[in-house]
Every structure is written in C-alpha cells, then in structure tokens.
Amino acid sequence: MRAREIAQEYPVIELDAYAVDAVRLLAQHRLRGIVVTDVVGRPHAVLSDSQVLRFLVPAYTVNEPTLARVYGEKYAEVGTGLFGCTVRQLLPEQTIEVPVADSDATVVELAALMARLHSPLVAVVEGEYLQGVVTTTHLIELILPAS
Amino acid sequence: MRAREIAQEYPVIELDAYAVDAVRLLAQHRLRGIVVTDVVGRPHAVLSDSQVLRFLVPAYTVNEPTLARVYGEKYAEVGTGLFGCTVRQLLPEQTIEVPVADSDATVVELAALMARLHSPLVAVVEGEYLQGVVTTTHLIELILPAS
C-alpha cells in the first residue's frame, strides 16, 4: 500500500491568507491541522491545532498556569490577536522539517514520519505538488492488527 | 465558562488493560487520545494517537527514514508487537505532567495547559475523579472570534 492510494482530499490554506480563516477551517471541519501551501500549491508547513491554540491565548498564560487563571476574567479579549495576522505569522519562526512524503511512500514510512515529527498529518506530494493528506487516525486504522 | 460546563463524556481505558484495546478504541471512535485511569478512576495519563503510532512501527524506522522504506516489505509484521502489551507499557517511562484540570478551570486555563503540554485533550476532574474531557478542537470552536 502506497501513500498515493490512501491520501485523501483535505482543505489547504495559503501562507499569506488570513490566520482567522485558517482557524475557521480547522474548527468547521474539526481538523487536527491544515497544510499550508505557497502560491503555486507546494506544501510549506503543517499548521496544527496545538499551534493555533498557542496563538489564541496570551503567551504568558501558556508558561504560567497561575496567570492563566487570572486571565480568565478578560475572556472577551481571547482570540482577538488573530485579526490582521496571516497564516505565515502563526508558524514557528525557525524552519522545521515539513511532514511531506512522496506519493510512493509506504504506510510504515508515513507512520515513522508522523511519529518522528509529532505531526497529526502528512502531506503527500507528486513531484512538488500536493496530492492529498494522510492523518494519524487514518493510518492507525490501516495498521491496526486484525484480531 | 468553566471546565465542568464544557467537559464531554469520552472513552477511558485502565492502565492494565490490553494495549490493543486502547488502540481499537482510538480507531473506532477516531479519537486523538484517550485518558488512562487507575483502577479507581483517577486519571493517570493521556495516551495520544502519536504515541500509539510510535509503538505500531519499529523504533528504528522512526529515527531513520531510509530504514522505514526498507521495512515496507515486511508490512505484515507491523503492529503485531502490540499483542500481550498493556496500556502501561505504551506510556513514556519518565513521569510527565498529566493534562488534568480542575472542574472550575477557565477556558483560558484549559487552552494554556493544552498548548504547554502539546496535548490533544485535557481530563477534567472533580476532586480526583474524572468528570469528562475537553479536546483541542472543542476549545478552538469556543475561543474562535465571532467575526
């Protein structure tokens, strides 16, 4: 079984799209993450819902649980930092390995890549262009021993 | 809005249950992770689907992409290492912080906890006992700016 046979269609978002649109896509489709592409459709990154969450609450609350509690009173402000930002600004500053696999990658290669990068999904490419996505959930279903 | 108002019922598994049953629960319900409890129902850990994936393929394939490709031919063996294992054996050896929040935690506290621990879910407890679960997806829907 090869990546091209199991890759599924999946929403993507461009690097310079509005961040709030990426978050809405995640929420509407209840996605674990979304593939971020450049203008010609080449995968540039995977934006996971954990990364989004980190952006929706003030940075100091993430590292300091006590401050997170205090902040509770200002709930109305949460998430508003997102407006005007682009997807590019949600991504980590340092370049990290993008979870991309060739369309002839095996199931084991996909699983190993996901496990190594702690990514909820892998972008499957043919040449440089996105063909579809394989998620952790899908892969576990495929690998699960039959009995 | 407090954790007790948004926590949802969610499958749990006991520490000494068979690992393969945990993986089946994840796959059947398409879960991101599952709360692992001790015999009296206190949350002990969250087993994420990434951790499961790491266990379904041989360790050397995770760190060495080239070996993952070679292994593709022995696909039939993948996942069989799971039989006879308990959930306890799937968990990391070192004690890590468990994503548990009190039932009066705020949405910001839950989000900050998830972001800090990179956890796909938080176990909500009343006293020591599990009341329900809040997932990253659910939290993003709640936080998402309205317009």
Side-chain angles (χ1 to χ4, degrees), chain A residues 26-98:
Chain A
L26 284 175
Q28 274 163 16
H29 300 274
R30 304 183 74 85
L31 305 176
R32 321 269 308 251
I34 190 164
V35 177
V36 180
T37 62
D38 63 17
V39 280
V40 294
R42 291 175 299 201
H44 176 90
V46 167
L47 178 69
S48 72
D49 57 4
S50 292
Q51 285 167 314
V52 165
L53 211 50
R54 191 170 266 274
F55 217 83
L56 284 174
V57 296
Y60 63 84
T61 65
V62 173
N63 299 314
E64 192 35 79
T66 322
L67 293 177
R69 167 142 299 201
V70 174
Y71 196 87
E73 304 308 311
K74 295 192 273 175
Y75 181 64
E77 289 170 31
V78 173
T80 53
L82 217 55
F83 290 108
C85 283
T86 64
V87 171
R88 194 187 292 271
Q89 290 169 280
L90 294 194
L91 297 173
E93 278 181 34
Q94 65 273 42
T95 314
I96 49 167
E97 190 181 339
V98 186

Side-chain angles (χ1 to χ4, degrees), chain A residues 4-15:
Chain A
R4 72 169 60 81
E5 301 162 57
I6 57 176
Q8 296 174 322
E9 230 182 289
Y10 213 76
V12 297
I13 191 114
E14 271 187 34
L15 260 174

Side-chain angles (χ1 to χ4, degrees), chain A residues 23-24 30 32 49 54 61-62 65 69 75 78-79 83 104 108-109 112 115-116 141-145 147, chain B residues 23-24 30 32 49 54 61-62 65 69 75 78-79 83 104 108-109 112 115-116 136 141-145 147:
Chain A
V23 180
R24 289 225 177 85
R30 304 183 74 85
R32 321 269 308 251
D49 57 4
R54 191 170 266 274
T61 65
V62 173
R69 167 142 299 201
Y75 181 64
V78 173
F83 290 108
D104 69 348
V108 174
E109 279 179 276
R116 185 159 54 85
E141 287 171 352
L142 289 173
I143 292 181
L144 190 65
S147 141
Chain B
V23 180
R24 288 223 178 86
R30 305 183 75 85
R32 320 270 308 252
D49 57 3
R54 191 170 267 274
T61 65
V62 174
R69 167 141 299 202
Y75 181 62
V78 173
F83 289 108
D104 70 347
V108 173
E109 279 179 277
R116 185 159 54 85
T136 312
E141 286 172 352
L142 289 173
I143 293 180
L144 191 66
S147 144

